[in-house]
Amino acid sequence: MKIAVIGANGKSGSLIVKEALSRGHDVTAIVRKADAKVDPKANVLVKDLFQLTYDDLKPFDVIIDAFAAWTPETLPQHQTSLKHLTDILSGKPNRLLVVGGAGSLYVNPEQTVRLVDTPQFPDEFKPLANNMAKGLDQLKKCNDVQWTYLSPAIEFIADGPRTGHYTSGGEQVLFNSNGKSHVSYADYAIAMIDEAEHAKHIKQRFTIVTE
């Protein structure tokens, strides 16, 4: 497959690039700056996400959005970046896979309480989680885009091991047999490329947890 990864030099993006390359896919890293560190086996397109056009993305079977913003003034870009991508992919066959957040997952079967709204959720991460949740809400209205949104488990561990073992679920927080909700970035990358290859969650959000 031809796969593009936006934000390919970030923590999750770089591991997604690595995983896709390891399976023999033709991978293009889309980065904002020419000096960004990316896997030397990947092709590189230097362009800001907000400047991307459909002509840029047309060659790719799958576009993986690993965009990230962390500062208070840039957090709304979690919404505007998704809107830009869905606007240019509207009515097109290319698939859009989004690196999502856990805060928007529900904690109850009735799906009325989200993780971000629970007392245990850290206050410092609420602005990020709420902006990502609003982005997901917009995405769910995009019936003419072939989108998929992957939420990690509660604990998203940057330097955790690549176990290759994960369980997937839907809109609700998942826990493993030990009552833990965690996944490494490396296992998350496996699940993302599995989804790229098998397309099991078109126009759906799903989540994963490592056993």
Side-chain angles (χ1 to χ4, degrees):
M1 300 175 73
K2 290 178 72 72
I3 297 176
V5 181
I6 299 169
N9 59 322
K11 286 183 179 178
S12 61
S14 59
L15 286 174
I16 290 168
V17 168
K18 181 180 179 181
E19 183 67 32
L21 287 168
S22 75
R23 302 193 197 186
H25 296 295
D26 182 342
V27 182
T28 295
I30 300 178
V31 291
R32 264 192 323 140
K33 298 178 180 179
D35 60 353
K37 291 182 179 179
V38 296
D39 193 301
K41 295 188 290 294
N43 306 305
V44 179
L45 170 60
V46 180
K47 198 164 189 180
D48 186 277
L49 182 157
F50 292 94
Q51 303 302 317
L52 290 171
T53 65
Y54 181 63
D55 284 342
D56 293 321
L57 301 181
K58 185 178 180 179
F60 303 105
D61 303 298
V62 172
I63 297 100
I64 299 176
D65 174 21
F67 170 84
W70 305 103
T71 60
E73 64 274 12
T74 60
L75 288 180
Q77 290 180 4
H78 283 284
Q79 299 175 60
T80 54
S81 61
L82 267 184
K83 184 177 189 310
H84 177 67
L85 292 174
T86 53
D87 282 350
I88 62 178
L89 291 172
S90 176
K92 303 295 193 290
N94 318 70
R95 290 166 56 213
L96 174 65
L97 275 55
V98 181
V99 175
S104 56
L105 289 167
Y106 293 98
V107 297
N108 61 334
E110 299 79 18
Q111 297 186 7
T112 55
V113 181
R114 300 175 307 167
L115 184 63
V116 67
D117 299 321
T118 61
Q120 298 86 358
F121 197 88
D123 286 341
E124 63 265 31
F125 294 126
K126 284 184 178 179
L128 171 62
N130 282 320
N131 273 284
M132 295 185 82
K134 288 176 183 176
L136 173 59
D137 289 342
Q138 293 173 4
L139 198 59
K140 287 181 174 179
K141 298 174 184 176
C142 294
N143 296 319
D144 57 352
V145 177
Q146 303 300 308
W147 63 269
T148 300
Y149 188 99
L150 176 52
S151 288
I154 295 174
E155 290 184 68
F156 198 16
I157 306 165
D159 55 356
R162 183 187 188 279
T163 72
H165 301 289
Y166 67 88
T167 301
S168 58
E171 290 281 332
Q172 199 171 330
V173 171
L174 285 183
F175 295 89
N176 64 20
S177 59
N178 295 317
K180 302 289 187 182
S181 181
H182 62 84
V183 66
S184 66
Y185 279 45
D187 280 347
Y188 181 95
I190 294 173
M192 184 65 86
I193 302 304
D194 284 351
E195 177 64 25
E197 293 176 346
H198 302 298
K200 291 184 177 180
H201 300 90
I202 302 293
K203 298 181 185 177
Q204 295 175 31
R205 183 256 290 274
F206 75 110
T207 186
I208 55 169
V209 67
T210 298
E211 184 56 45

